[in-house]
Amino acid sequence: MDNKPLTKAASSATRVWHLQDIKRALRDVDVLAAMADAFISYSAGKAVVPPVGELLFEEPPGDAHIKYGYVRGDRWFVIKVATGFYRNPQRGLPSNSGLMLVFDAATGTPHAVLLDQGYLTNIRTAAAGAFAAKLLAPDKVSCIGIIGSGVQARLQLQMLTHITCCRKVRIYARDSEKARRYAREMSAQGYAVRVEKSPAAVAAAANLIVTTTAACEPLLFADDIKPGTHITAVGSDTPPKNEIDPGVLNKAAIVAVDSLPQSAARGEVFHAVDAGAIAAGSIVELGTLALQAQKARLSDRQITIADLTGVATQDIEICKAVLARLAPDTAREPSNGY
Amino acid sequence: MDNKPLTKAASSATRVWHLQDIKRALRDVDVLAAMADAFISYSAGKAVVPPVGELLFEEPPGDAHIKYGYVRGDRWFVIKVATGFYRNPQRGLPSNSGLMLVFDAATGTPHAVLLDQGYLTNIRTAAAGAFAAKLLAPDKVSCIGIIGSGVQARLQLQMLTHITCCRKVRIYARDSEKARRYAREMSAQGYAVRVEKSPAAVAAAANLIVTTTAACEPLLFADDIKPGTHITAVGSDTPPKNEIDPGVLNKAAIVAVDSLPQSAARGEVFHAVDAGAIAAGSIVELGTLALQAQKARLSDRQITIADLTGVATQDIEICKAVLARLAPDTAREPSNGY
């Protein structure tokens, strides 16, 4: 009895969606548009986003982060849980997991549970990188540089196909075997990928660079970066992490972040301000740039940087967009009055 | 295809439990023992419990609270979402809802979603009241006094059957029609219930009182309370709420709380300390009392008070206890390797 969907539905109107449902729905979602909404509503002050909840574990080391909030006037509010346990791969599990919860903002009733296993967080993070590149990358992307060889190294590159036709890629990863595997995989997907021996060699070839590592020591320095290069840094999401030397930010014409309050405590900008390389007042939010123009870069000589730490409105908007695709289905669900 | 449990399981090993499953499992759960574990692990410093996450809504007015954490050494960590939207009854919905999430503390993998619609929060709150009474109520309970006529007014009385054979009840509620309905319902359940015209009249008859209102002005005063009376206050969970006059706490031999840090910011104790009626140092946690003795009350003349604002370990322990009953079922669920 309990395993029959009807019984389940009768016991609660909360819809539960699984990863394959979510992946199917995502095919029809414009994730870059969702990220534009996310950053603009955030920077325009239309979102209610409390501080991120954090739960830390010692043995094995891990963390859970709770990002939640709503956009004023929305029908839903969203609570996203993201976990990271970095010894999981040793037991054949992905490091990251999580889920998203959607509640009715008028009644507090749980509307949907998206059991995405962290997939939507990966996608929205990659889409945010592409959105930043859309605003800041040079008009002519000659070569894409990727630092790192993990999930984001793959997804960021794939998402960039939305904003550039460039398929020429240079990659550096500390683990050369992982770098070669990355090259094989991405080449099979139609990219011309070459493995480089250093981040500097990547920067020498590329004018659109995405750093996706968990490094705590800078990988890119001012002298490495060519004029006209845009760098998106997505790896640094906690205070100790640092991928880019403050000297690079000092040299940049535009330093953009997803959230000014968050960048004051973590990310590349935090380290650069801490080092006195840039003034906190010179930093701008992506949402503010997007409100001003489709393209924020002013010349093909400028160095620009987008430093992303992740904000709840990204989770809210991708959740809303996926739910809108899944919604027609909801009509077929028996209701218990909720 | 998607509606078949097998397909769902294959897409995610996260088990989803619905209200009827949870109610069935609760029949075999010793909720008082679970609350004993909750308060003892909390007061013994064995729990990792970050500050409560809070999301507020203006139109319609409502709130969502996120309580989360884990007990060191446990297999699971728990995230509980509780919502309160107080205009819901106008549209035929209960004011409170919510759900509980259980994650593997070794991998961060979502293990189970308990779609309890807020039921477990109601039960653990009532069980906490009974646990407080077990520690502090007089040996001979002559009459139970209930202030309020809502869900907790019912559940607290029902839960007290675990610690006293007294079925004599006096109730006061601001809405006399609701008070009469309460009397009818509880009488049908075997209680001898009389409706009183004032909280003072309840206190004149009862030596075990539970206050369950959302009052922001005191309902009980020092002169109302008979020697040997125990009062459990469960209504006041936000700073403005206040059910008991500071004079009562001043007169009490024992003032116990679930959480000293929380009682410094909300609840009856907060108001009494604020008014200078009691010293913060004179307050003790229920878990500390339980560690010392089965029974904390020293004489049948003492007035004792337990002021409960609700802590995450209550959610963690009831969730663990329910899951332990649901668990055998899990073995039948196909796994995707998680």
Side-chain angles (χ1 to χ4, degrees), chain B residues 136-301:
Chain B
L136 293 166
D139 294 330
K140 290 188 183 58
V141 176
S142 57
C143 176
I144 299 168
I146 300 289
I147 312 292
S149 59
V151 171
Q152 280 301 312
R154 288 161 169 76
L155 291 177
Q156 292 278 343
L157 180 60
Q158 291 164 336
M159 209 61 81
L160 284 173
T161 56
H162 291 292
I163 67 115
T164 176
C165 55
C166 176
R167 299 293 180 268
K168 194 175 159 198
V169 179
R170 304 290 175 94
I171 184 219
Y172 167 80
R174 201 175 43 185
D175 182 329
S176 57
E177 175 41 46
K178 285 183 180 170
R180 284 192 293 275
R181 193 183 316 141
Y182 178 93
R184 283 195 300 276
E185 280 182 38
M186 293 300 132
S187 298
Q189 293 179 28
Y191 297 92
V193 188
R194 185 198 291 180
V195 176
E196 297 287 0
K197 289 192 165 49
S198 70
V202 170
N207 65 342
L208 171 53
I209 302 172
V210 186
T211 62
T212 67
T213 74
C216 292
E217 294 293 332
L219 298 164
L220 290 173
F221 297 85
D223 295 346
D224 303 331
I225 311 303
K226 294 193 299 181
T229 299
H230 169 72
I231 305 170
T232 298
V234 300
S236 176
D237 57 355
T238 61
K241 293 187 190 170
N242 183 197
E243 299 183 291
I244 299 172
D245 186 74
V248 180
L249 286 84
N250 173 268
K251 207 172 162 184
I254 301 174
V255 177
V257 296
D258 45 10
S259 160
L260 283 171
Q262 274 179 215
S263 68
R266 56 191 66 202
E268 311 304 333
V269 163
F270 158 69
H271 289 282
V273 172
D274 197 45
I278 56 170
S282 68
I283 306 151
V284 61
E285 284 184 353
L286 284 171
T288 307
L289 289 178
L291 279 166
Q292 291 163 1
Q294 278 291 312
K295 193 83 185 170
R297 163 181 291 270
L298 300 175
S299 91
D300 62 4
R301 303 287 299 166

Side-chain angles (χ1 to χ4, degrees), chain A residues 71-77 102-107 111 320:
Chain A
V71 176
R72 289 192 180 82
D74 271 3
R75 181 177 173 193
W76 313 117
F77 70 90
V102 183
F103 293 79
D104 187 318
T107 66
H111 175 71
K320 281 162 55 186

Side-chain angles (χ1 to χ4, degrees), chain A residues 133 136-144 163-166 205-208 226-230 295 297 299-301:
Chain A
L136 293 167
D139 294 328
K140 290 190 183 56
V141 176
S142 56
C143 175
I144 299 168
I163 66 116
T164 175
C165 53
C166 176
N207 65 343
L208 171 52
K226 294 192 299 181
T229 298
H230 170 71
K295 193 82 185 171
R297 164 181 294 268
S299 89
D300 61 5
R301 302 288 299 167

Side-chain angles (χ1 to χ4, degrees), chain B residues 30-51:
Chain B
D30 182 342
V31 287
L32 262 71
M35 290 308 103
D37 293 342
F39 292 127
I40 287 171
S41 65
Y42 181 83
S43 296
K46 290 180 187 166
V48 176
V49 179

Side-chain angles (χ1 to χ4, degrees), chain A residues 15 20 24-25 66 71 83 99 102 117 137 142 145 149-150 206-208 214 220 253 296 318:
Chain A
R15 280 305 298 269
Q20 81 271 30
R24 198 178 304 113
I66 309 173
V71 176
T83 61
L99 51 76
V102 183
Q117 300 171 33
S142 56
S149 59
N207 65 343
L208 171 52
L220 290 174
I318 198 162

Side-chain angles (χ1 to χ4, degrees), chain A residues 10-271:
Chain A
S11 76
S12 162
T14 308
R15 280 305 298 269
V16 178
W17 300 100
H18 295 262
L19 186 54
Q20 81 271 30
D21 308 318
I22 293 160
K23 283 183 170 176
R24 198 178 304 113
L26 264 176
R27 289 185 207 136
D28 304 320
V29 170
D30 182 342
V31 287
L32 262 71
M35 291 308 102
D37 292 343
F39 292 126
I40 286 171
S41 65
Y42 181 83
S43 296
K46 290 180 186 165
V48 176
V49 178
V52 176
E54 182 175 67
L55 193 56
L56 301 177
F57 300 84
E58 284 144 24
E59 195 51 43
D63 57 65
H65 286 95
I66 309 173
K67 290 184 176 177
Y68 58 105
Y70 61 97
V71 176
R72 289 192 180 82
D74 271 3
R75 181 177 173 193
W76 313 117
F77 70 90
V78 173
I79 299 175
K80 190 275 290 275
V81 181
T83 61
F85 282 69
Y86 302 99
R87 287 187 198 160
N88 281 1
Q90 296 170 17
R91 45 203 289 183
L93 296 176
S95 299
N96 298 98
S97 190
L99 51 76
M100 293 195 183
L101 306 170
V102 183
F103 293 79
D104 187 318
T107 66
T109 308
H111 175 71
V113 177
L114 275 60
L115 295 172
D116 71 316
Q117 300 171 33
Y119 185 74
L120 289 176
T121 298
N122 289 339
I123 293 298
R124 64 81 153 156
T125 300
F131 176 73
K134 186 180 176 187
L135 279 168
L136 293 167
D139 294 328
K140 290 190 183 56
V141 176
S142 56
C143 175
I144 299 168
I146 300 289
I147 312 293
S149 59
V151 171
Q152 281 302 312
R154 286 161 170 78
L155 290 176
Q156 292 278 343
L157 179 61
Q158 290 165 337
M159 207 62 79
L160 284 173
T161 56
H162 290 293
I163 66 116
T164 175
C165 53
C166 176
R167 298 294 179 267
K168 195 175 157 198
V169 180
R170 305 288 176 97
I171 185 223
Y172 167 81
R174 201 175 41 187
D175 181 329
S176 58
E177 176 40 46
K178 285 182 180 170
R180 284 191 294 275
R181 192 183 316 139
Y182 178 93
R184 282 195 301 274
E185 280 181 38
M186 293 300 132
S187 299
Q189 292 179 30
Y191 297 92
V193 187
R194 184 199 291 181
V195 176
E196 297 286 0
K197 288 192 166 45
S198 71
V202 170
N207 65 343
L208 171 52
I209 302 172
V210 186
T211 62
T212 67
T213 74
C216 292
E217 295 293 333
L219 298 164
L220 290 174
F221 297 85
D223 294 347
D224 303 330
I225 312 302
K226 294 192 299 181
T229 298
H230 170 71
I231 305 170
T232 298
V234 300
S236 175
D237 56 356
T238 60
K241 293 186 190 170
N242 184 195
E243 298 183 291
I244 299 173
D245 187 74
V248 181
L249 285 85
N250 173 268
K251 205 170 161 186
I254 301 175
V255 177
V257 297
D258 45 11
S259 160
L260 283 171
Q262 273 180 217
S263 68
R266 57 190 66 201
E268 310 307 332
V269 163
F270 158 68
H271 290 282

